[in-house]
Amino acid sequence: LNPKEAKVYAELDPERLPHHIAIIMDGNGRWAKRRHLPRVAGHRAGVEAVRATTETAARLHIPALTLYAFSEENWKKRPRAEVAFLMGLLRHYLKQEVPLLNENNIRLGYIGRERELPAEVQDCMAWAREATARNSGMKLTLALNYSARTELVDAVNGLLREVAGNSAAAHVTEQDIARHLYTHHLPELDFVIRTSGEMRLSNFLLWQVAYAEIYVTSTLWPDFRGLHLLQAISEFQKRERRYGGLIEPVSAAEPAPPERARAAAAIPAEALTPTGK
Ligand code: FPP
C-alpha cells in the first residue's frame, strides 16, 4: 500500500466491511474526451480500473463484487461500432484476466440476458466462468446486457412457471421474488458506488438496492483505483444503517462472520497492493 492507502486502510474496521458491493462504472467517455481521445479509449482505460478494484476487494475479503459493465440500454442505444468494441474488449478482458482471477481465488459469474449476446461472446463468458468455478473466494459478477426491470420481468415469469397449475401456491412472498432474481445466489446488497458524479441508479439492481448505502464520487471510472475503494468503504462505515428502525451501528443487523473479520484483520497492508499489470 502507498502511504495514502495505508492510512485509509488502517482506519477501517475489518468487522464492518460491506458484504456485497455493486459499482456503476461511469465516466469512460468523459475521461477520453478530456484527453481528446475517442470514447473507446476510455473503455480500454476502464479495464485497468476493473482490475485494480477487483483485486483490492478480493484482498479485503469482500464476499461479493458486482460491476455494471453493460446495460441492456447501452446494448440497444449506443452506436454499433462502440457496442462491437465493448464486446471485443470483454472477450479480451476475459481471456487475459482468468489467471489473475484464479491467483486471487475469485469466482466469476454474470447477471443479465446472456442469451441475447453474440454467440462468440457467450462462449468466452462460459469458458471464463468454468475456468474460475472452483475458486472459493470473492464472487465477481459482471452485469452484461443487464436491466433491473427486465430482471423483475424474468423473475415474475419464472414464478408464474413455477406455480402454473397450482393455484394454492399462487401466493407470492418477498423471498419468492428474491429467489427468482438473477442475484439469488449473492449476499444481500449493502453498498452501491457510482463514479463520475451522476445521482441516479440507471436501472441497476432496483430490488436489491432497498437498504443499500449509496456513494457517489466525482472520480471518473478509468481513474478509480484501490484507494478510491478504500475511501468509499470508509464512508460506508460512517453511515448509520437503520433499516427503517432506530439507530444501530453499520452492519449490526448482519455482523460479519468472525472468521472473515479475523482474516481481514490479518491482511498485511502490503498484500493489498494489486499485482496486476
Ligand atoms: C460508462 O461510461 C461505461 C460503460 C458503458 C462501459 C463499461 C466498460 C468498462 C468499464 C470497461 C470494460 C469492462 C469489462 C468488465 C471488460 P460512459 O461511456 O457512459 O461514459 P460517459 O458517461 O462519460 O460518456
Side-chain angles (χ1 to χ4, degrees), residues 148-161:
R149 289 187 174 178
T150 301
E151 177 182 29
L152 286 165
V153 168
D154 286 348
V156 170
N157 284 317
L159 273 167
L160 286 174
R161 275 194 299 278

Side-chain angles (χ1 to χ4, degrees), residues 15 19 22-23 40 46 50 60 86 90 97 99 111 120 124 130 167 177 194 214 219 266 271 274:
E15 298 205 27
H19 296 84
I23 307 185
V40 294
V50 168
L60 284 170
L86 280 166
L90 174 64
E97 231 53 23
I111 54 172
E120 63 278 15
C124 198
E130 173 53 29
S167 58
I177 294 178
R194 179 166 189 146
I214 300 176
T219 303

Side-chain angles (χ1 to χ4, degrees), residues 25-31 39 42-44 46-47 50 67-70 74 78 82 86 89-90 93 142 144 196 198 220-221:
M25 309 185 287
D26 195 16
N28 295 352
R30 275 161 282 176
W31 184 93
R39 289 178 55 77
H43 296 320
R44 201 181 289 119
V47 173
V50 168
L67 302 177
Y68 202 3
F70 203 67
N74 289 156
R78 296 226 172 175
E82 185 174 339
L86 280 166
L89 191 65
L90 174 64
Y93 165 84
L142 301 181
L144 294 164
S196 90
E198 237 80 65
L220 303 177
W221 178 252

Side-chain angles (χ1 to χ4, degrees), residues 176-253:
D176 290 325
I177 294 178
R179 205 160 43 77
H180 280 271
L181 294 175
Y182 302 154
T183 53
H184 60 90
H185 59 299
L186 297 176
E188 179 89 3
L189 180 65
D190 47 8
F191 195 30
V192 175
I193 298 172
R194 179 166 189 146
T195 58
S196 90
E198 237 80 65
M199 300 282 184
R200 53 176 176 263
L201 288 168
S202 301
N203 205 4
F204 190 43
L205 302 173
L206 296 183
W207 172 280
Q208 296 86 340
V209 84
Y211 287 106
E213 295 298 323
I214 300 176
Y215 173 88
V216 177
T217 169
S218 58
T219 303
L220 303 177
W221 178 252
D223 293 326
F224 199 88
R225 290 293 180 276
L227 173 65
H228 302 95
L229 182 69
L230 291 163
Q231 285 168 338
I233 294 174
S234 165
E235 169 69 25
F236 171 85
Q237 295 195 337
K238 293 189 185 114
R239 304 271 179 95
E240 279 164 3
R241 307 198 68 214
R242 292 202 294 266
Y243 304 95
L246 299 176
I247 297 173
E248 56 184 326
V250 73
S251 288

